[in-house]
Amino acid sequence: MTFELTAVVPSRGFDVTLDVDEGSTLALLGPNGAGKSTALGLAAGTLRPHDGEITLDGTRLAHARAGRTEAWVAPHRRRVALLAQDPLLFPHLSIRDNISFGPRAQGRPRREAAAAAARWLDAMDLVHLADRRPGALSGGQGQRVAIARALAAAPRLLLLDEPLAALDVDVTPALRQTLRRLLVGQTTIIATHEVLDALLLADEVAVVDDGRVVERGPTAEVLSRPRSAFAASIAGLNLVSGTWTGDGVVTASGGVVHGYASHPEVPVGAAMTAVFRPAAVALHLTDPHGSPRNTFRGTVRSVEPRGDLLRVRTDQLAADVTPQAVAELSLVPGRAVVGTVKAAEVDVYPV
Amino acid sequence: MTTTRAPATSRRTTRDPAEVPAGLPRWAYVPAAAGGLFVLLPLVALGTRVDWAGYWSLVTSESSRAALALSLQTATTSTLLCLILGVPMALVLARGRFPGRDLLRSLVLVPLVLPPVVGGIALLSAFGRRGLLGESMEVLGLQVAFSTTAVVLAQSFVALPFLVVSLEGALRTAGERYDVVAASLGASPTTVLRRVTLPLVWPGLVSGTVLAFARALGEFGATITFAGSLQGVTRTLPLEVYLQRETDPDAAVALSLLLVAVAVAVIGLTHRRGASR
Amino acid sequence: MTAQPHRARATAALLAASAAVGLAGCSTDPGAETTVTVFAAASLTEAFEQIAHDFETAHDGVDVRLSLAGSSDLVAQIQQGAPADVVASADTASMDRLVADGLVGTPQDFATNSLEIAVPPGNPAGIASLEDLTDPDLHLVVCAPQVPCGAATTAVVSDSGLTLHPVSEEQSVTDVLHKVVVGEADAGIVYVTDVARAGPGVEGVSFPQAGAAVNTYPIAAVTQTDADTDHAALVQQFIDAVQGPEGQRLLADLGFVAP
């Protein structure tokens, strides 16, 4: 275990135990105010625990008993870098100087810091912006610089606080892929309320609600079979894994799910996961005719209320349908149904 | 560099002529113009009273030069003192977390609203020969009474709140989010202050410094009460103006105009510096 | 007290305003009082208030209106036609200007004032003479030469042949006194009457060289356009009261010296 946190902060109703394996990414999934930011603040050193212990690579970052701090490492000595929703680039520094800020602040020689900046400018495709000020950048560019700045500081633990939430929808997929690439081997905690962030970036998910971890496990497991009410409300995504054919995913059993790849350069044969929301699934008693669709034959396992809709689970997928549909089709456990979903509703991501 | 910085600068200083201000009622121009006149008219009127033929000899008389030099010297020293004390004060008030902070913030403002004469009497009570600290200071060989140091103390006392208030406001507006990010990148608190916080609040720091300097330069009441008035030692330009009024009103007017010119020059210069930063 | 032009002028304005209100009220009163309007130097405030009060007590139906200001201001006001019956200035120069303009009758000197050393209670520096003030380590405070008390100081010092090293040349007598009262200064040079007025906060040390700059206070009747002999007699009675034993005793109590 490279990062471990056990902390109680009574003033925030926070009582959480977390751990992150060396080189892996943990997603903290939960609604606003659930305690995600408190967890990040404790890791970064902007908050003190009332009780608890936080360790990173065997170093005790904080230790407190009944409000008395017994060990404390100042934020700047923790090697825990924070990337927030807003890029928060230093407006008075050029992009290059923003990126070299971490190495310089840590006392590394100027030349070394410059080399690190050059490396990250190149890696993040920012070379042409190197001498600009942050004010001249778009939101997506700004966040790319912020990522480069955080990673140039060579953190032992990277904290991402809703890193994509403030960005335009048309730039988030590409940046998410970039992050996915960069987080390989980087110990990371990402706080998010976006299921896709967790799905694509995290190895494990901890669902946080009301200051407690209510569910914990490997990402695919938590997202496809949520046990907690919150995880169910935001997740319950249908995930189908297989290999990429160019316009769909072939599962091990030979079934094909048609969908659109998140980015075009995916080679045929790559391991991919098709993702679609339960609300995108329509249920029928017989095979429907008409436009090409993905069809999933199965048997109803359960029906449970979910807001104004009912969530129908078959042995293959989950579908959110209206109570009228449930009544018309007499959807009771044991009934054979056909679920369909349009290819346009299916996103396919590399695993 | 110049091309990339241009948009940011123009956004700050000029308005797109196509933009229509929504929150500016037309009637506001009338009292605004009256207010502008109210400020400018006395200054212009002062100019009309100046004996221009004799202006140069009036402002270059020995006593005038001594007063001007002393004023610039003491106001500069006071401003430095205000920076040394005021920047940490503003930081502590804006960022610190301790009980009584709000009360302390209000107390720091007191010299701002206090009549300067009262400030002078208060300083006497603290640093005078029979003041709270005066005796121990005298033992240490520190003689404040009737010295240029006393002038600097008086000026700093009245000017400090100007710096603290404007810097603290700037610090609060800037927030702590940049500080947190900088610390997470490995910057020690001092590095954060030097490389992030102060550059971010630079305009506030500049305007606070200018205000403090201008206030120090114009200081009269606390100085005459606390420091006295002796040419070249404690008689700053405002004291010289007030004294000249007794016997040589022309000289008083000429020196007043000089004081206005110095104030305008300082504000104009630093304003341009601050804006271009 | 000419060293306090601001305050004196404000007081005068206030008094003039209240006098105007009072006069307006009296004009409708059938038993209208006779009024004597006295313009006096501000340094005479305490003395003339008492003299006026005594005069009103002695003369039934007579109302004395006091207008107190700096001597130069008094002159300017009378030159511009202010309705004064009597004028008492703090220096002969001011009165001479009124004489030259033919605005007053023959002035008579009624008091003098001279300089004195003011020291904090107990005289910690042990000042006994003007010579003692030449010690360069002494915290001596004087009036700036530009103001009247400073001019008098300069005259006395240059006449004595001594050299003083003041640590401050103050704007006014009040500023000098304040520095002595709070103990910042070891000694200050002010008028005898200022020491008397300052009360227990300071002590006075007189010195013989003060005779070189004696301030003389003249009083005169303002020349009237209408020949009201009764009123003229009343005005003269007020001038006599100032010069009489009772007036002189009051003035002496306040530190003034008879001419």
Side-chain angles (χ1 to χ4, degrees):
Chain A
M1 292 296 164
T2 184
F3 177 77
E4 291 180 293
L5 177 150
T6 304
V8 179
V9 184
S11 59
R12 294 171 174 234
F14 182 90
D15 184 353
V16 160
T17 299
L18 291 174
D19 52 71
V20 187
D21 285 339
E22 169 80 44
S24 75
T25 297
L26 171 71
L28 296 179
L29 202 56
N32 290 330
K36 303 190 301 277
S37 298
T38 302
L40 295 191
L42 287 165
T46 57
L47 292 174
R48 281 177 201 274
H50 183 267
D51 267 296
E53 188 171 17
I54 303 168
T55 57
L56 177 60
D57 286 348
T59 308
R60 212 179 236 186
L61 298 183
H63 179 50
R65 250 187 298 196
R68 260 195 32 245
T69 302
E70 297 186 347
W72 181 254
V73 174
H76 66 282
R77 296 212 172 89
R78 293 188 172 197
R79 304 285 303 276
V80 174
L82 179 68
L83 179 70
Q85 184 172 336
D86 299 319
L88 296 175
L89 301 177
F90 306 130
H92 56 289
L93 299 179
S94 68
I95 302 311
R96 187 192 304 280
D97 291 346
N98 262 281
I99 296 174
S100 64
F101 183 92
R104 287 295 292 146
Q106 292 163 21
R108 304 241 292 277
R110 198 175 291 272
R111 186 180 298 184
E112 205 178 300
R119 207 162 51 242
W120 282 104
L121 283 167
D122 190 44
M124 298 295 284
D125 193 20
L126 293 164
V127 176
H128 61 295
L129 301 172
D131 294 317
R132 294 211 188 167
R133 298 276 168 142
L137 302 186
S138 71
Q141 286 171 333
Q143 199 63 319
R144 288 223 314 279
V145 176
I147 293 166
R149 180 178 62 177
L151 290 172
R156 292 192 299 193
L157 173 66
L158 177 65
L159 305 175
L160 305 176
D161 192 359
E162 306 274 5
L164 306 173
L167 299 177
D168 289 342
V169 282
D170 49 340
V171 302
T172 43
L175 203 55
R176 196 176 279 127
Q177 288 302 329
T178 306
L179 269 179
R180 183 182 161 81
R181 181 164 49 84
L182 294 170
L183 295 186
V184 173
Q186 167 71 54
T187 313
T188 305
I189 300 177
I190 173 170
T192 183
H193 61 261
E194 173 61 60
V195 176
L196 279 179
D197 289 344
L199 179 67
L200 285 173
L201 303 177
D203 303 299
E204 296 218 7
V205 169
V207 178
V208 184
D209 195 14
D210 200 18
R212 305 282 189 283
V213 173
V214 292
E215 196 170 347
R216 175 73 207 266
T219 304
E221 195 176 296
V222 172
L223 293 186
S224 53
R225 283 182 292 282
R227 282 173 287 117
S228 67
F230 174 75
S233 73
I234 64 157
L237 285 175
N238 294 299
L239 310 173
V240 180
S241 298
T243 52
W244 181 242
T245 62
D247 69 342
V249 171
V250 189
T251 63
S253 57
V256 177
V257 182
H258 298 282
Y260 292 95
S262 56
H263 66 131
E265 306 104 51
V266 178
V268 171
M272 299 288 273
T273 298
V275 181
F276 52 96
R277 293 171 298 115
V281 178
L283 294 179
H284 314 267
L285 294 180
T286 54
D287 280 359
H289 308 285
S291 59
R293 294 174 182 202
N294 297 303
T295 56
F296 303 88
R297 284 186 194 79
T299 309
V300 174
R301 297 283 184 214
S302 68
V303 179
E304 59 208 40
R306 175 153 151 47
D308 294 337
L309 299 175
L310 294 170
R311 175 158 292 178
V312 179
R313 287 184 184 281
T314 72
D315 36 17
Q316 281 184 315
L317 49 64
D320 286 349
V321 294
T322 60
Q324 289 88 335
V326 170
E328 274 173 31
L329 302 178
S330 314
L331 296 177
V332 292
R335 189 151 181 106
V337 290
V338 180
T340 62
V341 60
K342 289 177 185 167
E345 298 274 10
V346 179
D347 294 316
V348 184
Y349 296 96
V351 183
Chain B
M1 192 74 168
T2 341
T3 50
T4 57
R5 211 200 294 175
T9 313
S10 64
R11 197 187 314 148
R12 188 164 9 162
T13 52
T14 59
R15 239 195 133 86
D16 182 351
E19 282 178 27
V20 181
L24 179 58
R26 203 170 296 182
W27 56 260
Y29 281 102
V30 177
L37 270 179
F38 177 60
V39 173
L40 289 178
L41 192 66
L43 298 180
V44 172
L46 188 66
T48 66
R49 289 301 168 103
V50 171
D51 169 17
W52 290 107
Y55 186 78
W56 191 246
S57 62
L58 285 173
V59 298
T60 54
S61 73
E62 195 206 338
S63 61
S64 303
R65 278 187 289 125
L68 178 63
L70 182 70
S71 268
L72 292 176
Q73 179 210 328
T74 52
T76 305
T77 313
S78 305
T79 308
L80 285 176
L81 187 64
C82 285
L83 282 170
I84 291 167
L85 300 177
V87 171
M89 278 172 79
L91 265 179
V92 168
L93 288 178
R95 299 279 196 259
R97 287 170 182 84
F98 53 91
R101 183 180 65 160
D102 291 343
L103 181 70
L104 197 67
R105 185 182 299 135
S106 320
L107 287 178
V108 168
L109 292 179
V110 165
L112 208 62
V113 293
L114 213 58
V117 182
V118 179
I121 292 173
L123 285 169
L124 273 178
S125 322
F127 303 108
R129 285 167 95 193
R130 297 196 186 160
L132 227 49
L133 301 177
E135 277 178 44
S136 24
M137 283 167 69
E138 203 147 318
V139 171
L140 294 170
L142 289 171
Q143 277 273 10
V144 172
F146 304 110
S147 67
T148 306
T149 308
V151 178
V152 172
L153 286 181
Q155 291 178 345
S156 303
F157 182 76
V158 297
L160 190 57
F162 284 84
L163 182 78
V164 173
V165 166
S166 51
L167 185 57
E168 198 215 335
L171 283 167
R172 285 170 170 277
T173 310
E176 291 181 57
R177 301 198 306 159
Y178 288 97
D179 301 3
V180 168
V181 167
S184 90
L185 295 171
S188 69
T190 306
T191 307
V192 173
L193 176 66
R194 189 171 51 82
R195 290 204 58 203
V196 176
T197 316
L198 287 184
L200 279 177
V201 297
W202 187 254
L205 182 61
V206 168
S207 68
T209 308
V210 170
L211 278 176
F213 181 84
R215 181 66 188 88
L217 195 67
E219 164 43 38
F220 174 78
T223 309
I224 205 163
T225 314
F226 177 54
S229 171
L230 192 67
Q231 183 178 323
V233 181
T234 50
R235 189 175 295 149
T236 55
L237 209 45
L239 270 65
E240 176 73 14
V241 169
Y242 196 61
L243 186 61
Q244 289 292 350
R245 217 181 48 110
E246 292 282 336
T247 49
D248 192 351
D250 283 346
V253 169
L255 287 175
S256 304
L257 198 70
L258 183 65
L259 206 50
V260 171
V262 170
V264 168
V266 166
I267 289 171
L269 210 72
T270 38
H271 192 261
R272 202 169 336 136
R273 283 259 173 84
S276 71
R277 171 70 188 237
Chain C
M1 189 185 301
T2 51
Q4 278 186 301
H6 265 45
R7 193 182 302 171
R9 210 169 294 151
T11 314
L14 202 64
L15 284 171
S18 56
V21 171
L23 285 169
C26 287
S27 63
T28 54
D29 185 356
E33 292 183 330
T34 313
T35 304
V36 177
T37 307
V38 178
F39 277 30
S43 52
L44 294 167
T45 304
E46 288 85 349
F48 270 45
E49 274 172 357
Q50 191 57 48
I51 292 170
H53 178 259
D54 293 350
F55 191 76
E56 282 171 348
T57 316
H59 297 76
D60 217 16
V62 171
D63 184 26
V64 178
R65 306 270 183 213
L66 282 179
S67 177
L68 300 146
S71 294
S72 52
D73 292 334
L74 293 177
V75 170
Q77 286 165 15
I78 292 169
Q79 281 172 332
Q80 279 156 33
D85 297 318
V86 177
V87 57
S89 77
D91 60 337
T92 47
S94 300
M95 188 63 87
D96 288 347
R97 280 190 274 156
L98 291 177
V99 173
D101 289 355
L103 291 169
V104 293
T106 312
Q108 287 167 300
D109 297 341
F110 67 95
T112 65
N113 198 0
S114 54
L115 296 176
E116 192 171 37
I117 299 166
V119 295
N123 195 357
I127 304 297
S129 67
L130 190 63
E131 286 78 5
D132 289 347
L133 299 187
T134 57
D135 178 359
D137 292 335
L138 191 77
H139 278 189
L140 171 68
V141 174
V142 298
C143 287
Q146 288 89 337
V147 299
C149 64
T153 305
T154 308
V156 165
V157 172
S158 65
D159 188 69
S160 68
L162 298 170
T163 308
L164 301 183
H165 309 281
V167 292
S168 184
E169 296 174 352
E170 298 286 338
Q171 192 74 37
S172 71
V173 165
T174 318
D175 290 325
V176 174
L177 276 176
H178 179 249
K179 300 281 192 303
V180 175
V181 168
V182 297
E184 278 301 290
D186 298 316
I189 300 181
V190 295
Y191 283 110
V192 175
T193 51
D194 298 321
V195 175
R197 282 203 310 165
V202 291
E203 290 177 11
V205 177
S206 55
F207 56 98
Q209 295 93 327
V214 174
N215 236 17
T216 302
Y217 286 67
I219 189 168
V222 178
T223 312
Q224 303 296 324
T225 44
D226 57 334
D228 182 344
T229 49
D230 284 354
H231 190 257
L234 194 62
V235 167
Q236 190 53 49
Q237 280 173 29
F238 182 85
I239 293 172
D240 293 344
V242 172
Q243 292 180 292
E246 195 57 21
Q248 289 293 307
R249 191 187 58 75
L250 275 167
L251 285 162
D253 285 349
L254 291 162
F256 291 99
V257 173

